Amino acid sequence: MACSDDDSTGTGGGAASGTTSSGSGSSQGGGGAGEGGGGAPAGTGGEGGSTTTAGTGGEGGGGAAAGTGGEGGGGGAAAGTGGEGGGAPPSDPACGADTAAFADVEPILTRSCANQYCHGNAGAPTGGLDLRASAAVGKLVDQDSASCSREQALVVPFKPSSSYLMNKLKEVGLCDPDESRMPPTAPLPEADIKTINDWICAGAPAR
C-alpha cells in the first residue's frame, strides 16, 4: 500500500530532529533518515529515521523491502484463486470416480442401437438420430431430442442427470408418455448404461 504525503513529511522531520551537535554526526543521521524513508511503505521508515547511524537506517529499509515482498505474496494467492476458477467442470450427483471414452461407448451403440432398422439406417435413421460410429457424437452431444416439445439435450457434457439419453435408456422422465425406452426390444445391461453415464461424466469426448 502506498504511503501518504504525511508519512513522508514525518520521516523528513525525523531527520531534522536527529541532527547532532557535530557536522559528522549530522551527516550520518541524515543518511539514516534517508534510508529509513525507503522503508516508509511498511511503517518502518519512522523508526529508521529516528536512529543516528546509517547502518540502523539501512536495516530498517531492508525490513521494509522484506515486508513489501510479503505483501506481494498476496498477489500469488490471487493468482491461485484464478486457477481455481479456470474451468473445473460442474459436478453431477450421477458421476463418480469412473470415466469412459467414446471407444468404450461405440460398441454398445453399434450392437444395440445402430442397426439398419433403427439408428443405423444411413438413409432414414429412426427419429433422425444416426448413431453409427462416424456420426453418433455429433448427433448426441448438445443436440435436442426430437421427442420433447421443450429444449432437452440428448447429451449434456459432464451432466448425465441432465442428459435425455439417460432418461431414454432408463425409461424415466420421458417427454411423451407413449414413448418407450431405448432400445425398445430389451433394456441395456446396467454395465452398458454405466459406461454411457461415465462417458458423459468425462465430458462426452469424441474419442
Side-chain angles (χ1 to χ4, degrees):
M1 181 174 65
C3 288
S4 67
D5 292 340
D6 290 343
D7 291 336
S8 298
T9 304
T11 305
S17 62
T19 304
T20 64
S21 58
S22 70
S24 172
S26 174
S27 173
Q28 291 178 343
E35 295 183 22
T44 7
E47 294 178 9
S50 67
T51 61
T52 57
T53 65
T56 308
E59 289 177 9
T68 304
E71 289 179 9
T81 306
E84 241 177 71
S91 59
D92 188 295
C95 294
D98 297 334
T99 58
F102 182 68
D104 303 309
V105 172
E106 187 272 328
I108 299 172
L109 298 181
T110 299
R111 178 175 64 249
S112 305
C113 311
N115 60 63
Q116 61 178 326
Y117 304 107
C118 199
H119 297 293
N121 186 316
T126 301
L129 182 60
D130 188 347
L131 293 183
R132 292 175 299 165
S134 59
V137 174
K139 294 292 186 179
L140 288 171
V141 178
D142 292 325
Q143 300 300 312
D144 290 337
S145 168
S147 316
C148 301
S149 57
R150 65 184 187 279
E151 289 185 3
Q152 179 70 57
L154 289 166
V155 169
V156 180
F158 304 107
K159 297 188 75 68
S161 296
S162 301
S163 299
Y164 194 64
L165 175 62
M166 300 306 299
N167 296 44
K168 292 285 287 182
L169 296 177
K170 297 177 179 181
E171 200 175 16
V172 295
L174 299 178
C175 291
D176 184 345
D178 295 328
E179 219 177 329
S180 61
R181 96 161 41 91
M182 287 293 139
T185 51
L188 285 181
E190 286 299 319
D192 288 351
I193 293 176
K194 181 181 184 303
T195 297
I196 295 172
N197 183 93
D198 292 345
W199 169 65
I200 297 174
C201 288
R207 296 183 180 180

